[in-house]
Amino acid sequence: MTSPGEVERVPLKVVPIYVTPIEDEPEAPEEEPEVVEEAPRVRRPWIGLAAVALTVATIGVHAAAIVVASNGDFPTGTLLGYIAIGLSALAVVVGVVAAVVGRGRVWGLAAAVVAVLANPWVLLIVLRFLSGIQTG
């Protein structure tokens, strides 16, 4: 083997090192905000069902008025008849409101139609017309 000889000493050169700062995680590009669609709200048909309840009450009070008047208590039967007319009018109004607002639309319309047909005053007019009795 050969001897390398004398080692030549060379001055140490300093090479500048550019230090870059450590960055946090790079920011993600801005994404469009995610649009969350709300579930459609369920409309409760409580107004339409209230109209149905008023219609059933109209029918019940009207039937009670007929029974009471048939037993000879005409003032009470008349009072119950007027109450049935008021309940019927209220049922029609609530049924129409339910149809317009959309809270139990079908129930409200059905209740309004039945309430008109169960109204004692309307029934009196229809029965008088069918019997041929002339009203003055």
Side-chain angles (χ1 to χ4, degrees), residues 32-90:
E32 293 183 25
E34 188 174 318
V35 178
V36 178
E37 293 185 26
E38 292 183 16
R41 299 181 83 189
V42 177
R43 291 186 158 206
R44 307 275 186 234
W46 63 271
I47 297 177
L49 294 176
V52 170
L54 287 169
T55 301
V56 169
T58 298
I59 294 169
V61 172
H62 188 186
I66 292 171
V67 169
V68 168
S70 296
N71 288 334
D73 190 4
F74 298 115
T76 305
T78 303
L79 177 65
L80 288 174
Y82 285 131
I83 291 172
I85 291 171
L87 284 174
S88 173
L90 186 61

Side-chain angles (χ1 to χ4, degrees), residues 58 62 81 84-86 88-89 92 114-125:
T58 298
H62 188 186
I85 291 171
S88 173
V92 169
V114 173
V116 167
L117 296 176
N119 188 314
W121 183 69
V122 172
L123 285 175
L124 179 65
I125 291 173

Side-chain angles (χ1 to χ4, degrees), residues 23-35:
E23 294 181 11
D24 293 337
E25 295 181 20
E27 293 183 22
E30 288 188 34
E31 297 178 9
E32 293 183 25
E34 188 174 318
V35 178

